Amino acid sequence: MERVIQRQVADFHTDHIFDCGQAFRWQRQRDGSYTGIAEGRIVNIRFIPEGEKSQGGTKADSSCFSDNRKRPAPCRGRIVLSNTSEEEFEGFWKKYLDLDRDYGAIKRELSQKDPVMKEAIRWGGGIRLLRQEKWEALLSFLISQNNHIPRIKGCIEALSENFGEKAGQYQGRWWYSLPSPKTLASMEPEDLSICRLGYRAKYLIGTARQVERDGLPALEQMADPAVSYEEAFEYLTRFCGVGPKVASCVLLFSMEKYKSFPLDVWMKRVMERLYGQKTEKEMKAFAENTFGDYGGFAQQYLFYYIRQTG
DNA sequence: GGCCAGGGGATTA
DNA sequence: TAATCCCATGGC
């Protein structure tokens, strides 16, 4: 497999993208790059900020977390994708990484709204909203509820390794895809005990059965631009274990419904501390009025900001 | 509408 | 070591 290099990419940083809680199947490597799997494709992505050498400098790991916590990281540079081809990059990863969207324009527009957002964007300026598979997002955010990010990752790893299919070998280990709705639909909660999902096991199976009954295309069709946010939200919240929070995450991270503004514990904290709002209703209305169709982008900048700076 | 159990582990006290 | 918390939801 060849390597693919994209030069002079702006508004991009792998730490911001893979550490902002939107995806759970990316693993940070010692060199600061990320290896992950999406729709059965395994890839390693390394971001090299402008002005830095790509290979083996003595200044090891220039993009490590401890650095980023102290000061905002530069978000312009080149991306090196390994274990992929030019064809696959053009046909898949480019869209997955949302590289065709002008985040500079989004950042300028949001920065004008208020000083808090401007500061948040300064910290997470390399965020991109990944375009994930619908079923993966649904499964991931069912597991994410009332849960910690490291444990969410562990649950998803266990699910793939035990019940998914082999996708390929890379960097000395096998990678597995997630179990299909069909696979999970035929199981009972106790069959999943090895994955330590707790009470979420019955949600996964219940939802898998509903997806099987309606057909996966019915779920995927919710990503159609012709389907409104409200209609898709309504559809998703009918699934077992899917409430407003999980639905809004699935809509944002896999269905391109960018006005979605997921409110979790952290976001409620941000909205109260930085914007002085008390009720969830107040927060939703504020987001809608202030950020409008860019609500989802705003949410990600704020979420990353509060997680980095406390 | 408010309350609380659901699992399990990470984090904090 | 104990208590608390976690990218919530369903059921009462």
PDB file of all heavy atoms in Angstrom, chain A residues 95-130:
ATOM      1  N   LYS A  95     -13.649  12.384   2.023  1.00  0.00           N
ATOM      2  CA  LYS A  95     -14.999  12.684   2.501  1.00  0.00           C
ATOM      3  C   LYS A  95     -15.116  12.378   3.993  1.00  0.00           C
ATOM      4  O   LYS A  95     -15.703  13.157   4.750  1.00  0.00           O
ATOM      5  CB  LYS A  95     -16.027  11.872   1.711  1.00  0.00           C
ATOM      6  CG  LYS A  95     -17.443  12.252   2.071  1.00  0.00           C
ATOM      7  CD  LYS A  95     -18.493  11.476   1.289  1.00  0.00           C
ATOM      8  CE  LYS A  95     -19.877  11.853   1.812  1.00  0.00           C
ATOM      9  NZ  LYS A  95     -20.919  10.935   1.341  1.00  0.00           N
ATOM     10  N   TYR A  96     -14.551  11.254   4.402  1.00  0.00           N
ATOM     11  CA  TYR A  96     -14.622  10.868   5.816  1.00  0.00           C
ATOM     12  C   TYR A  96     -14.031  11.955   6.710  1.00  0.00           C
ATOM     13  O   TYR A  96     -14.572  12.297   7.753  1.00  0.00           O
ATOM     14  CB  TYR A  96     -13.874   9.546   6.033  1.00  0.00           C
ATOM     15  CG  TYR A  96     -13.885   9.053   7.458  1.00  0.00           C
ATOM     16  CD1 TYR A  96     -14.963   8.321   7.952  1.00  0.00           C
ATOM     17  CD2 TYR A  96     -12.832   9.341   8.325  1.00  0.00           C
ATOM     18  CE1 TYR A  96     -14.983   7.886   9.265  1.00  0.00           C
ATOM     19  CE2 TYR A  96     -12.841   8.903   9.639  1.00  0.00           C
ATOM     20  CZ  TYR A  96     -13.924   8.182  10.110  1.00  0.00           C
ATOM     21  OH  TYR A  96     -13.937   7.758  11.417  1.00  0.00           O
ATOM     22  N   LEU A  97     -12.908  12.519   6.262  1.00  0.00           N
ATOM     23  CA  LEU A  97     -12.227  13.556   7.053  1.00  0.00           C
ATOM     24  C   LEU A  97     -12.812  14.951   6.807  1.00  0.00           C
ATOM     25  O   LEU A  97     -12.353  15.925   7.399  1.00  0.00           O
ATOM     26  CB  LEU A  97     -10.731  13.557   6.734  1.00  0.00           C
ATOM     27  CG  LEU A  97      -9.964  12.297   7.159  1.00  0.00           C
ATOM     28  CD1 LEU A  97      -8.579  12.281   6.530  1.00  0.00           C
ATOM     29  CD2 LEU A  97      -9.858  12.211   8.683  1.00  0.00           C
ATOM     30  N   ASP A  98     -13.800  15.020   5.931  1.00  0.00           N
ATOM     31  CA  ASP A  98     -14.487  16.282   5.632  1.00  0.00           C
ATOM     32  C   ASP A  98     -13.526  17.350   5.106  1.00  0.00           C
ATOM     33  O   ASP A  98     -13.640  18.533   5.447  1.00  0.00           O
ATOM     34  CB  ASP A  98     -15.208  16.804   6.888  1.00  0.00           C
ATOM     35  CG  ASP A  98     -16.414  17.675   6.532  1.00  0.00           C
ATOM     36  OD1 ASP A  98     -16.930  17.554   5.405  1.00  0.00           O
ATOM     37  OD2 ASP A  98     -16.835  18.488   7.386  1.00  0.00           O
ATOM     38  N   LEU A  99     -12.582  16.918   4.252  1.00  0.00           N
ATOM     39  CA  LEU A  99     -11.531  17.830   3.793  1.00  0.00           C
ATOM     40  C   LEU A  99     -12.002  18.858   2.777  1.00  0.00           C
ATOM     41  O   LEU A  99     -11.318  19.844   2.532  1.00  0.00           O
ATOM     42  CB  LEU A  99     -10.357  17.017   3.207  1.00  0.00           C
ATOM     43  CG  LEU A  99      -9.540  16.227   4.231  1.00  0.00           C
ATOM     44  CD1 LEU A  99      -8.444  15.427   3.543  1.00  0.00           C
ATOM     45  CD2 LEU A  99      -8.927  17.155   5.283  1.00  0.00           C
ATOM     46  N   ASP A 100     -13.171  18.638   2.194  1.00  0.00           N
ATOM     47  CA  ASP A 100     -13.636  19.579   1.180  1.00  0.00           C
ATOM     48  C   ASP A 100     -14.381  20.784   1.758  1.00  0.00           C
ATOM     49  O   ASP A 100     -14.729  21.698   1.052  1.00  0.00           O
ATOM     50  CB  ASP A 100     -14.552  18.860   0.165  1.00  0.00           C
ATOM     51  CG  ASP A 100     -13.732  17.999  -0.792  1.00  0.00           C
ATOM     52  OD1 ASP A 100     -12.565  18.363  -1.060  1.00  0.00           O
ATOM     53  OD2 ASP A 100     -14.250  16.971  -1.253  1.00  0.00           O
ATOM     54  N   ARG A 101     -14.628  20.743   3.072  1.00  0.00           N
ATOM     55  CA  ARG A 101     -15.382  21.844   3.676  1.00  0.00           C
ATOM     56  C   ARG A 101     -14.438  22.980   4.088  1.00  0.00           C
ATOM     57  O   ARG A 101     -13.344  22.755   4.578  1.00  0.00           O
ATOM     58  CB  ARG A 101     -16.143  21.348   4.918  1.00  0.00           C
ATOM     59  CG  ARG A 101     -17.168  22.345   5.437  1.00  0.00           C
ATOM     60  CD  ARG A 101     -17.888  21.798   6.659  1.00  0.00           C
ATOM     61  NE  ARG A 101     -18.433  20.472   6.410  1.00  0.00           N
ATOM     62  CZ  ARG A 101     -19.575  20.252   5.780  1.00  0.00           C
ATOM     63  NH1 ARG A 101     -20.312  21.252   5.373  1.00  0.00           N
ATOM     64  NH2 ARG A 101     -19.986  19.017   5.584  1.00  0.00           N
ATOM     65  N   ASP A 102     -14.886  24.201   3.891  1.00  0.00           N
ATOM     66  CA  ASP A 102     -14.090  25.382   4.247  1.00  0.00           C
ATOM     67  C   ASP A 102     -14.299  25.742   5.718  1.00  0.00           C
ATOM     68  O   ASP A 102     -15.195  26.507   6.070  1.00  0.00           O
ATOM     69  CB  ASP A 102     -14.489  26.559   3.343  1.00  0.00           C
ATOM     70  CG  ASP A 102     -13.637  27.802   3.622  1.00  0.00           C
ATOM     71  OD1 ASP A 102     -12.742  27.737   4.493  1.00  0.00           O
ATOM     72  OD2 ASP A 102     -13.865  28.815   2.944  1.00  0.00           O
ATOM     73  N   TYR A 103     -13.454  25.137   6.561  1.00  0.00           N
ATOM     74  CA  TYR A 103     -13.592  25.399   7.999  1.00  0.00           C
ATOM     75  C   TYR A 103     -13.131  26.805   8.359  1.00  0.00           C
ATOM     76  O   TYR A 103     -13.545  27.357   9.378  1.00  0.00           O
ATOM     77  CB  TYR A 103     -12.830  24.338   8.811  1.00  0.00           C
ATOM     78  CG  TYR A 103     -13.617  23.070   8.992  1.00  0.00           C
ATOM     79  CD1 TYR A 103     -13.751  22.163   7.945  1.00  0.00           C
ATOM     80  CD2 TYR A 103     -14.274  22.794  10.192  1.00  0.00           C
ATOM     81  CE1 TYR A 103     -14.502  21.000   8.084  1.00  0.00           C
ATOM     82  CE2 TYR A 103     -15.027  21.629  10.340  1.00  0.00           C
ATOM     83  CZ  TYR A 103     -15.134  20.746   9.295  1.00  0.00           C
ATOM     84  OH  TYR A 103     -15.888  19.604   9.451  1.00  0.00           O
ATOM     85  N   GLY A 104     -12.282  27.394   7.521  1.00  0.00           N
ATOM     86  CA  GLY A 104     -11.865  28.772   7.765  1.00  0.00           C
ATOM     87  C   GLY A 104     -13.064  29.700   7.795  1.00  0.00           C
ATOM     88  O   GLY A 104     -13.185  30.567   8.669  1.00  0.00           O
ATOM     89  N   ALA A 105     -13.971  29.492   6.866  1.00  0.00           N
ATOM     90  CA  ALA A 105     -15.175  30.321   6.779  1.00  0.00           C
ATOM     91  C   ALA A 105     -16.060  30.099   8.005  1.00  0.00           C
ATOM     92  O   ALA A 105     -16.595  31.055   8.581  1.00  0.00           O
ATOM     93  CB  ALA A 105     -15.936  29.990   5.504  1.00  0.00           C
ATOM     94  N   ILE A 106     -16.200  28.846   8.408  1.00  0.00           N
ATOM     95  CA  ILE A 106     -17.020  28.527   9.582  1.00  0.00           C
ATOM     96  C   ILE A 106     -16.418  29.166  10.831  1.00  0.00           C
ATOM     97  O   ILE A 106     -17.125  29.769  11.651  1.00  0.00           O
ATOM     98  CB  ILE A 106     -17.118  26.993   9.769  1.00  0.00           C
ATOM     99  CG1 ILE A 106     -17.849  26.364   8.582  1.00  0.00           C
ATOM    100  CG2 ILE A 106     -17.798  26.641  11.087  1.00  0.00           C
ATOM    101  CD1 ILE A 106     -17.799  24.846   8.542  1.00  0.00           C
ATOM    102  N   LYS A 107     -15.112  29.056  10.970  1.00  0.00           N
ATOM    103  CA  LYS A 107     -14.430  29.614  12.139  1.00  0.00           C
ATOM    104  C   LYS A 107     -14.551  31.136  12.183  1.00  0.00           C
ATOM    105  O   LYS A 107     -14.762  31.720  13.260  1.00  0.00           O
ATOM    106  CB  LYS A 107     -12.951  29.185  12.130  1.00  0.00           C
ATOM    107  CG  LYS A 107     -12.763  27.720  12.508  1.00  0.00           C
ATOM    108  CD  LYS A 107     -11.464  27.146  12.013  1.00  0.00           C
ATOM    109  CE  LYS A 107     -10.256  27.693  12.735  1.00  0.00           C
ATOM    110  NZ  LYS A 107      -9.019  27.001  12.268  1.00  0.00           N
ATOM    111  N   ARG A 108     -14.416  31.774  11.030  1.00  0.00           N
ATOM    112  CA  ARG A 108     -14.552  33.245  10.992  1.00  0.00           C
ATOM    113  C   ARG A 108     -15.950  33.664  11.415  1.00  0.00           C
ATOM    114  O   ARG A 108     -16.133  34.563  12.234  1.00  0.00           O
ATOM    115  CB  ARG A 108     -14.250  33.773   9.577  1.00  0.00           C
ATOM    116  CG  ARG A 108     -12.756  33.887   9.280  1.00  0.00           C
ATOM    117  CD  ARG A 108     -12.520  34.685   7.999  1.00  0.00           C
ATOM    118  NE  ARG A 108     -13.035  34.013   6.818  1.00  0.00           N
ATOM    119  CZ  ARG A 108     -12.391  33.026   6.180  1.00  0.00           C
ATOM    120  NH1 ARG A 108     -11.227  32.593   6.628  1.00  0.00           N
ATOM    121  NH2 ARG A 108     -12.922  32.481   5.105  1.00  0.00           N
ATOM    122  N   GLU A 109     -16.933  32.968  10.860  1.00  0.00           N
ATOM    123  CA  GLU A 109     -18.330  33.298  11.153  1.00  0.00           C
ATOM    124  C   GLU A 109     -18.637  33.108  12.645  1.00  0.00           C
ATOM    125  O   GLU A 109     -19.220  33.982  13.295  1.00  0.00           O
ATOM    126  CB  GLU A 109     -19.241  32.403  10.303  1.00  0.00           C
ATOM    127  CG  GLU A 109     -20.702  32.410  10.717  1.00  0.00           C
ATOM    128  CD  GLU A 109     -21.608  33.098   9.705  1.00  0.00           C
ATOM    129  OE1 GLU A 109     -21.165  33.261   8.546  1.00  0.00           O
ATOM    130  OE2 GLU A 109     -22.741  33.464  10.071  1.00  0.00           O
ATOM    131  N   LEU A 110     -18.213  31.978  13.207  1.00  0.00           N
ATOM    132  CA  LEU A 110     -18.497  31.702  14.618  1.00  0.00           C
ATOM    133  C   LEU A 110     -17.705  32.617  15.552  1.00  0.00           C
ATOM    134  O   LEU A 110     -18.208  33.027  16.595  1.00  0.00           O
ATOM    135  CB  LEU A 110     -18.201  30.231  14.945  1.00  0.00           C
ATOM    136  CG  LEU A 110     -19.198  29.192  14.424  1.00  0.00           C
ATOM    137  CD1 LEU A 110     -18.700  27.783  14.688  1.00  0.00           C
ATOM    138  CD2 LEU A 110     -20.582  29.383  15.062  1.00  0.00           C
ATOM    139  N   SER A 111     -16.477  32.949  15.153  1.00  0.00           N
ATOM    140  CA  SER A 111     -15.633  33.814  15.988  1.00  0.00           C
ATOM    141  C   SER A 111     -16.265  35.183  16.196  1.00  0.00           C
ATOM    142  O   SER A 111     -16.068  35.817  17.227  1.00  0.00           O
ATOM    143  CB  SER A 111     -14.250  33.989  15.350  1.00  0.00           C
ATOM    144  OG  SER A 111     -13.535  32.786  15.408  1.00  0.00           O
ATOM    145  N   GLN A 112     -16.993  35.622  15.183  1.00  0.00           N
ATOM    146  CA  GLN A 112     -17.633  36.938  15.270  1.00  0.00           C
ATOM    147  C   GLN A 112     -18.779  36.968  16.270  1.00  0.00           C
ATOM    148  O   GLN A 112     -19.180  38.030  16.741  1.00  0.00           O
ATOM    149  CB  GLN A 112     -18.175  37.355  13.897  1.00  0.00           C
ATOM    150  CG  GLN A 112     -17.092  37.749  12.910  1.00  0.00           C
ATOM    151  CD  GLN A 112     -17.630  37.911  11.501  1.00  0.00           C
ATOM    152  OE1 GLN A 112     -18.833  37.805  11.278  1.00  0.00           O
ATOM    153  NE2 GLN A 112     -16.749  38.156  10.551  1.00  0.00           N
ATOM    154  N   LYS A 113     -19.304  35.784  16.585  1.00  0.00           N
ATOM    155  CA  LYS A 113     -20.489  35.733  17.445  1.00  0.00           C
ATOM    156  C   LYS A 113     -20.185  36.224  18.851  1.00  0.00           C
ATOM    157  O   LYS A 113     -20.932  37.005  19.419  1.00  0.00           O
ATOM    158  CB  LYS A 113     -21.031  34.302  17.534  1.00  0.00           C
ATOM    159  CG  LYS A 113     -21.335  33.654  16.224  1.00  0.00           C
ATOM    160  CD  LYS A 113     -22.634  34.139  15.629  1.00  0.00           C
ATOM    161  CE  LYS A 113     -22.963  33.354  14.365  1.00  0.00           C
ATOM    162  NZ  LYS A 113     -24.032  33.979  13.588  1.00  0.00           N
ATOM    163  N   ASP A 114     -19.104  35.727  19.430  1.00  0.00           N
ATOM    164  CA  ASP A 114     -18.760  36.142  20.787  1.00  0.00           C
ATOM    165  C   ASP A 114     -17.338  35.755  21.143  1.00  0.00           C
ATOM    166  O   ASP A 114     -16.756  34.882  20.513  1.00  0.00           O
ATOM    167  CB  ASP A 114     -19.763  35.545  21.793  1.00  0.00           C
ATOM    168  CG  ASP A 114     -19.632  34.043  21.870  1.00  0.00           C
ATOM    169  OD1 ASP A 114     -20.206  33.369  20.987  1.00  0.00           O
ATOM    170  OD2 ASP A 114     -18.966  33.537  22.776  1.00  0.00           O
ATOM    171  N   PRO A 115     -16.771  36.396  22.168  1.00  0.00           N
ATOM    172  CA  PRO A 115     -15.370  36.171  22.559  1.00  0.00           C
ATOM    173  C   PRO A 115     -15.110  34.753  23.069  1.00  0.00           C
ATOM    174  O   PRO A 115     -14.014  34.219  22.877  1.00  0.00           O
ATOM    175  CB  PRO A 115     -15.137  37.176  23.697  1.00  0.00           C
ATOM    176  CG  PRO A 115     -16.293  38.105  23.680  1.00  0.00           C
ATOM    177  CD  PRO A 115     -17.417  37.419  23.001  1.00  0.00           C
ATOM    178  N   VAL A 116     -16.099  34.153  23.710  1.00  0.00           N
ATOM    179  CA  VAL A 116     -15.930  32.790  24.231  1.00  0.00           C
ATOM    180  C   VAL A 116     -15.667  31.828  23.083  1.00  0.00           C
ATOM    181  O   VAL A 116     -14.731  31.026  23.106  1.00  0.00           O
ATOM    182  CB  VAL A 116     -17.189  32.333  25.012  1.00  0.00           C
ATOM    183  CG1 VAL A 116     -17.091  30.862  25.358  1.00  0.00           C
ATOM    184  CG2 VAL A 116     -17.367  33.163  26.277  1.00  0.00           C
ATOM    185  N   MET A 117     -16.501  31.937  22.056  1.00  0.00           N
ATOM    186  CA  MET A 117     -16.351  31.065  20.894  1.00  0.00           C
ATOM    187  C   MET A 117     -15.019  31.313  20.205  1.00  0.00           C
ATOM    188  O   MET A 117     -14.336  30.383  19.767  1.00  0.00           O
ATOM    189  CB  MET A 117     -17.519  31.310  19.930  1.00  0.00           C
ATOM    190  CG  MET A 117     -17.515  30.430  18.709  1.00  0.00           C
ATOM    191  SD  MET A 117     -17.456  28.666  19.064  1.00  0.00           S
ATOM    192  CE  MET A 117     -19.043  28.445  19.836  1.00  0.00           C
ATOM    193  N   LYS A 118     -14.626  32.558  20.149  1.00  0.00           N
ATOM    194  CA  LYS A 118     -13.359  32.909  19.507  1.00  0.00           C
ATOM    195  C   LYS A 118     -12.192  32.211  20.207  1.00  0.00           C
ATOM    196  O   LYS A 118     -11.307  31.652  19.561  1.00  0.00           O
ATOM    197  CB  LYS A 118     -13.165  34.428  19.549  1.00  0.00           C
ATOM    198  CG  LYS A 118     -12.020  34.908  18.695  1.00  0.00           C
ATOM    199  CD  LYS A 118     -11.988  36.420  18.601  1.00  0.00           C
ATOM    200  CE  LYS A 118     -10.856  36.846  17.656  1.00  0.00           C
ATOM    201  NZ  LYS A 118     -10.843  38.275  17.419  1.00  0.00           N
ATOM    202  N   GLU A 119     -12.228  32.212  21.523  1.00  0.00           N
ATOM    203  CA  GLU A 119     -11.170  31.570  22.314  1.00  0.00           C
ATOM    204  C   GLU A 119     -11.220  30.048  22.135  1.00  0.00           C
ATOM    205  O   GLU A 119     -10.184  29.391  22.023  1.00  0.00           O
ATOM    206  CB  GLU A 119     -11.335  31.957  23.797  1.00  0.00           C
ATOM    207  CG  GLU A 119     -10.293  31.391  24.735  1.00  0.00           C
ATOM    208  CD  GLU A 119      -8.873  31.900  24.467  1.00  0.00           C
ATOM    209  OE1 GLU A 119      -8.703  32.821  23.646  1.00  0.00           O
ATOM    210  OE2 GLU A 119      -7.936  31.349  25.083  1.00  0.00           O
ATOM    211  N   ALA A 120     -12.428  29.502  22.122  1.00  0.00           N
ATOM    212  CA  ALA A 120     -12.594  28.054  21.940  1.00  0.00           C
ATOM    213  C   ALA A 120     -12.013  27.616  20.596  1.00  0.00           C
ATOM    214  O   ALA A 120     -11.343  26.587  20.507  1.00  0.00           O
ATOM    215  CB  ALA A 120     -14.064  27.663  22.033  1.00  0.00           C
ATOM    216  N   ILE A 121     -12.249  28.407  19.582  1.00  0.00           N
ATOM    217  CA  ILE A 121     -11.757  28.084  18.240  1.00  0.00           C
ATOM    218  C   ILE A 121     -10.237  28.187  18.185  1.00  0.00           C
ATOM    219  O   ILE A 121      -9.573  27.427  17.483  1.00  0.00           O
ATOM    220  CB  ILE A 121     -12.430  29.000  17.190  1.00  0.00           C
ATOM    221  CG1 ILE A 121     -13.890  28.571  16.996  1.00  0.00           C
ATOM    222  CG2 ILE A 121     -11.676  28.982  15.866  1.00  0.00           C
ATOM    223  CD1 ILE A 121     -14.711  29.479  16.111  1.00  0.00           C
ATOM    224  N   ARG A 122      -9.684  29.092  18.972  1.00  0.00           N
ATOM    225  CA  ARG A 122      -8.234  29.229  19.036  1.00  0.00           C
ATOM    226  C   ARG A 122      -7.612  27.924  19.556  1.00  0.00           C
ATOM    227  O   ARG A 122      -6.529  27.536  19.147  1.00  0.00           O
ATOM    228  CB  ARG A 122      -7.886  30.394  19.970  1.00  0.00           C
ATOM    229  CG  ARG A 122      -6.571  31.082  19.656  1.00  0.00           C
ATOM    230  CD  ARG A 122      -6.463  32.410  20.406  1.00  0.00           C
ATOM    231  NE  ARG A 122      -6.307  32.249  21.847  1.00  0.00           N
ATOM    232  CZ  ARG A 122      -5.158  31.942  22.459  1.00  0.00           C
ATOM    233  NH1 ARG A 122      -4.060  31.760  21.752  1.00  0.00           N
ATOM    234  NH2 ARG A 122      -5.097  31.808  23.767  1.00  0.00           N
ATOM    235  N   TRP A 123      -8.343  27.244  20.457  1.00  0.00           N
ATOM    236  CA  TRP A 123      -7.827  26.009  21.054  1.00  0.00           C
ATOM    237  C   TRP A 123      -8.072  24.781  20.198  1.00  0.00           C
ATOM    238  O   TRP A 123      -7.247  23.875  20.169  1.00  0.00           O
ATOM    239  CB  TRP A 123      -8.453  25.794  22.436  1.00  0.00           C
ATOM    240  CG  TRP A 123      -7.765  26.601  23.472  1.00  0.00           C
ATOM    241  CD1 TRP A 123      -8.024  27.905  23.797  1.00  0.00           C
ATOM    242  CD2 TRP A 123      -6.664  26.199  24.293  1.00  0.00           C
ATOM    243  NE1 TRP A 123      -7.157  28.330  24.766  1.00  0.00           N
ATOM    244  CE2 TRP A 123      -6.309  27.302  25.100  1.00  0.00           C
ATOM    245  CE3 TRP A 123      -5.948  25.018  24.427  1.00  0.00           C
ATOM    246  CZ2 TRP A 123      -5.268  27.248  26.010  1.00  0.00           C
ATOM    247  CZ3 TRP A 123      -4.909  24.960  25.349  1.00  0.00           C
ATOM    248  CH2 TRP A 123      -4.578  26.083  26.137  1.00  0.00           C
ATOM    249  N   GLY A 124      -9.222  24.737  19.551  1.00  0.00           N
ATOM    250  CA  GLY A 124      -9.576  23.533  18.784  1.00  0.00           C
ATOM    251  C   GLY A 124      -9.701  23.812  17.307  1.00  0.00           C
ATOM    252  O   GLY A 124     -10.541  23.235  16.624  1.00  0.00           O
ATOM    253  N   GLY A 125      -8.854  24.687  16.829  1.00  0.00           N
ATOM    254  CA  GLY A 125      -8.954  25.159  15.446  1.00  0.00           C
ATOM    255  C   GLY A 125      -8.765  24.096  14.389  1.00  0.00           C
ATOM    256  O   GLY A 125      -9.033  24.333  13.211  1.00  0.00           O
ATOM    257  N   GLY A 126      -8.316  22.908  14.795  1.00  0.00           N
ATOM    258  CA  GLY A 126      -8.086  21.855  13.818  1.00  0.00           C
ATOM    259  C   GLY A 126      -9.187  20.814  13.764  1.00  0.00           C
ATOM    260  O   GLY A 126      -9.048  19.768  13.133  1.00  0.00           O
ATOM    261  N   ILE A 127     -10.296  21.103  14.444  1.00  0.00           N
ATOM    262  CA  ILE A 127     -11.401  20.140  14.483  1.00  0.00           C
ATOM    263  C   ILE A 127     -12.057  19.990  13.105  1.00  0.00           C
ATOM    264  O   ILE A 127     -12.245  20.965  12.395  1.00  0.00           O
ATOM    265  CB  ILE A 127     -12.463  20.579  15.526  1.00  0.00           C
ATOM    266  CG1 ILE A 127     -11.928  20.352  16.937  1.00  0.00           C
ATOM    267  CG2 ILE A 127     -13.790  19.862  15.309  1.00  0.00           C
ATOM    268  CD1 ILE A 127     -12.788  20.953  18.031  1.00  0.00           C
ATOM    269  N   ARG A 128     -12.358  18.757  12.777  1.00  0.00           N
ATOM    270  CA  ARG A 128     -13.176  18.452  11.594  1.00  0.00           C
ATOM    271  C   ARG A 128     -14.273  17.510  12.047  1.00  0.00           C
ATOM    272  O   ARG A 128     -14.030  16.643  12.892  1.00  0.00           O
ATOM    273  CB  ARG A 128     -12.348  17.732  10.523  1.00  0.00           C
ATOM    274  CG  ARG A 128     -11.209  18.532   9.971  1.00  0.00           C
ATOM    275  CD  ARG A 128     -11.542  19.093   8.609  1.00  0.00           C
ATOM    276  NE  ARG A 128     -10.686  20.225   8.279  1.00  0.00           N
ATOM    277  CZ  ARG A 128     -10.747  20.884   7.122  1.00  0.00           C
ATOM    278  NH1 ARG A 128     -11.626  20.517   6.205  1.00  0.00           N
ATOM    279  NH2 ARG A 128      -9.957  21.899   6.888  1.00  0.00           N
ATOM    280  N   LEU A 129     -15.448  17.653  11.504  1.00  0.00           N
ATOM    281  CA  LEU A 129     -16.522  16.713  11.846  1.00  0.00           C
ATOM    282  C   LEU A 129     -16.455  15.531  10.890  1.00  0.00           C
ATOM    283  O   LEU A 129     -16.712  15.679   9.703  1.00  0.00           O
ATOM    284  CB  LEU A 129     -17.884  17.404  11.770  1.00  0.00           C
ATOM    285  CG  LEU A 129     -18.172  18.382  12.912  1.00  0.00           C
ATOM    286  CD1 LEU A 129     -19.577  18.968  12.784  1.00  0.00           C
ATOM    287  CD2 LEU A 129     -18.043  17.693  14.253  1.00  0.00           C
ATOM    288  N   LEU A 130     -16.059  14.383  11.423  1.00  0.00           N
ATOM    289  CA  LEU A 130     -15.932  13.176  10.605  1.00  0.00           C
ATOM    290  C   LEU A 130     -17.306  12.751  10.094  1.00  0.00           C
ATOM    291  O   LEU A 130     -18.317  12.962  10.746  1.00  0.00           O
ATOM    292  CB  LEU A 130     -15.316  12.047  11.437  1.00  0.00           C
ATOM    293  CG  LEU A 130     -13.919  12.309  11.992  1.00  0.00           C
ATOM    294  CD1 LEU A 130     -13.514  11.173  12.925  1.00  0.00           C
ATOM    295  CD2 LEU A 130     -12.905  12.464  10.870  1.00  0.00           C
TER     296      LEU A 130
END
